[in-house]
Amino acid sequence: MWSDDYKVAIIGAGPAGLSAAYYLRQNGYPVTVFEKEEELGGMLRYGIPSYRLQRDVIDAEIKVIKAMGVVFRTGVEVGKDITIQQLREEGYKAFYIAIGMQSGRKAGIPNEEYALSGVDFLRKANKDHGKILSGKTIVIGGGNVAIDVARSALRAGSDSVEMYCLEGPDEMPAAKDEIAEAKEEGVIIKNCWGPKEVIVEGGKVTGLVLKQCVQVFDKEGRFAPVYDETECKSVACDNVLLSIGQAAEWGG
């Protein structure tokens, strides 16, 4: 149904929301994008470090979409500031939920609440651009996001950064060139270790207990890590950043 009075509301101004807005507007639909942050771009702006994706590139893409007639309402969280029912009453006929994966997954270990998820850290680093860390930082994870977290942790003031991941060097999901660049910048990668417990003293992180991972995948290739908990070690650190996957924050 191509109609210039068939109003569409898009929830989220990240890459999925922006893409949907572009194509819907190209086909003649009146489109409004609702974004809870004050700036547009979602993970493009708040997840990918600026040294990998320059902000003027994001702004130029958004400028094109604005010129097409897409309306953006920032600082509005659907479900909190306004409901879908209220939007229906305003005349919106269809909704595209593009809220992304804004939350980090948990590891299920003691004192995990003292660690920070990788995506939360990247959001803070991309908003602040200052020295928000100090001392030694340990990053848990072996993917591209974990690499971004580790490299950003150095830029954010960490004296040193170590990455611990379950996978062996040849199993790591991160791209080889990303791994090489991280090492060139000083990130130390330790393979075949998983987190067991965050060590906390006086309300502050002082270290991390790790257990050796002897197998990451089962015979069918499914993720099913096996640990040898007789092989554990404690590593002193000041910050723990968990980058082991992402999840949706559904809000209201």
Side-chain angles (χ1 to χ4, degrees), residues 14-15 22 35 38 45 51 106 144 149 159 164 246:
Y22 174 86
E35 169 57 49
E38 292 299 329
R45 187 177 303 277
Y51 65 83
K106 302 293 186 181
N144 284 329
V149 169
D159 297 330
Y164 287 85
Q246 292 165 233

Side-chain angles (χ1 to χ4, degrees), residues 13 22 59 61 70 88 90 102 104-105 107-109 136 138 141 155 161 171 192 227 238:
Y22 174 86
D59 293 337
E61 295 289 331
V70 173
R88 286 196 177 102
E90 290 183 17
Q102 299 284 333
R105 292 191 183 279
I109 59 175
K136 179 178 178 179
I138 289 180
R155 290 166 170 78
V161 176
E171 294 178 308
C192 304
Y227 301 97
D238 302 284

Side-chain angles (χ1 to χ4, degrees), residues 6-244:
Y6 194 89
K7 292 171 63 177
V8 180
I10 294 174
I11 303 169
L18 293 173
S19 297
Y22 174 86
Y23 288 109
L24 283 165
R25 189 70 195 119
Q26 196 174 55
N27 283 287
Y29 287 102
V31 178
T32 302
V33 181
F34 297 85
E35 169 57 49
K36 68 178 181 179
E37 299 284 356
E38 292 299 329
E39 292 191 84
L40 306 170
M43 281 300 195
L44 296 173
R45 187 177 303 277
Y46 296 114
I48 301 175
S50 58
Y51 65 83
R52 288 221 293 122
L53 178 60
Q54 295 180 355
R55 297 302 175 250
D56 57 354
V57 174
I58 302 171
D59 293 337
E61 295 289 331
I62 292 170
K63 186 177 180 181
V64 170
I65 299 171
K66 285 182 176 179
M68 297 172 69
V70 173
V71 176
F72 290 95
R73 291 174 61 178
T74 57
V76 179
E77 184 174 348
V78 176
K80 179 180 178 181
D81 302 311
I82 194 169
T83 66
I84 287 181
Q85 183 56 40
Q86 287 174 314
L87 292 175
R88 286 196 177 102
E89 291 167 2
E90 290 183 17
Y92 290 96
K93 306 294 186 182
F95 300 86
Y96 184 84
I97 300 176
I99 59 174
M101 308 289 274
Q102 299 284 333
S103 177
R105 292 191 183 279
K106 302 293 186 181
I109 59 175
N111 296 324
E112 186 174 21
E113 65 273 17
Y114 290 91
L116 186 65
S117 77
V119 289
D120 285 340
F121 164 69
L122 288 174
R123 188 178 297 111
K124 289 184 178 182
N126 281 317
K127 285 183 176 181
D128 189 289
H129 300 290
K131 302 299 182 182
I132 59 176
L133 295 178
S134 62
K136 179 178 178 179
T137 297
I138 289 180
V139 177
I140 301 298
N144 284 329
V145 176
I147 293 287
D148 282 348
V149 169
R151 296 174 68 184
S152 295
L154 284 173
R155 290 166 170 78
S158 296
D159 297 330
S160 63
V161 176
E162 292 183 1
M163 273 183 65
Y164 287 85
C165 64
L166 302 180
E167 301 86 359
D170 296 327
E171 294 178 308
M172 289 179 66
K176 299 299 182 185
D177 59 331
E178 295 283 340
I179 295 171
E181 289 177 13
K183 289 180 177 179
E184 286 174 8
E185 292 182 3
V187 175
I188 298 170
I189 299 177
K190 303 289 185 73
N191 299 95
C192 304
W193 291 96
K196 184 175 182 179
E197 179 182 356
V198 178
I199 303 172
V200 176
E201 296 178 8
K204 294 184 178 180
V205 172
T206 60
L208 183 70
V209 180
L210 296 131
K211 53 188 177 182
Q212 191 167 64
C213 181
V214 296
Q215 180 178 301
V216 181
F217 305 100
D218 63 19
K219 293 180 180 178
E220 283 72 41
R222 293 172 298 196
F223 182 74
V226 177
Y227 301 97
D228 179 1
E229 298 206 31
T230 64
E231 291 291 332
C232 295
K233 64 178 180 179
S234 297
V235 181
C237 66
D238 302 284
N239 314 286
V240 176
L241 305 177
L242 294 171
S243 186
I244 55 174

